[in-house]
Amino acid sequence: MAQKTVVLGVIGADVHAVGNRILDYAFSQAGFKVINIGVLASQEEFIHAAIETAADVMLVSSLYGHGEIDCRGFREKCLEAGIGDILLYVGGNLVIGKQDFAEVEKRFKKMGFDRVYPPGTMPEVAIADLHKDLK
């Protein structure tokens, strides 16, 4: 399989960089070409990076609890930009307060995300899913 490209970043006004670095390392070690756009990233920055690098997937992280707000309309913007079929993964502390993750997952999938991960998910889980989804 040719090397697949992953755009990775932390969306919105979020500055949590440690998890971003861990994901960068894990996906790089797993053989992916990682384009890490860092923290404080907008939807447009993700999309621009994905187009520029012909990425296969965008991995969106959020740890400060506002991921649901920051991710609204993301799939629609991908469609407008001509990359509507790109894989979209999201994970982290996506909402404020204690909410049932099954409900959170349902809301993000309704927004067009292919995979939704709760806080504390190990990178290996997303890597395994990505191998499945890219086949």
Side-chain angles (χ1 to χ4, degrees):
M1 176 162 80
Q3 188 179 38
K4 298 295 186 178
T5 302
V6 171
V7 171
L8 170 67
V10 182
I11 199 163
D14 198 331
V15 296
H16 290 89
V18 175
N20 178 267
R21 301 295 290 225
I22 292 167
L23 290 172
D24 187 330
Y25 180 79
F27 277 85
S28 296
Q29 291 300 304
F32 293 95
K33 178 181 178 186
V34 177
I35 309 302
N36 191 341
I37 62 171
V39 299
L40 300 169
S42 68
Q43 291 182 11
E44 291 78 13
E45 286 170 303
F46 274 96
I47 291 166
H48 180 74
I51 291 168
E52 208 170 81
T53 62
D56 301 285
V57 63
M58 286 189 271
L59 292 174
V60 180
S61 294
S62 182
L63 287 162
Y64 75 141
H66 297 284
E68 189 171 3
I69 294 161
D70 294 334
C71 290
R72 280 199 190 119
F74 203 160
R75 178 62 76 184
E76 290 79 4
K77 282 192 182 140
C78 290
L79 288 163
E80 287 167 19
I83 57 167
D85 58 351
I86 193 167
L87 284 172
L88 279 181
Y89 286 18
V90 65
N93 295 317
L94 301 172
V95 293
I96 293 173
K98 294 276 180 238
Q99 296 185 36
D100 176 38
F101 182 72
E103 287 303 311
V104 172
E105 181 180 32
K106 209 180 293 178
R107 291 199 304 267
F108 275 86
K109 287 202 166 177
K110 198 172 176 189
M111 282 194 272
F113 284 84
D114 298 291
R115 301 270 186 177
V116 187
Y117 301 100
T121 302
M122 296 307 290
E124 295 75 22
V125 175
I127 290 166
D129 287 341
L130 195 47
H131 283 300
K132 274 184 250 168
D133 293 347
L134 289 171
K135 281 198 169 133

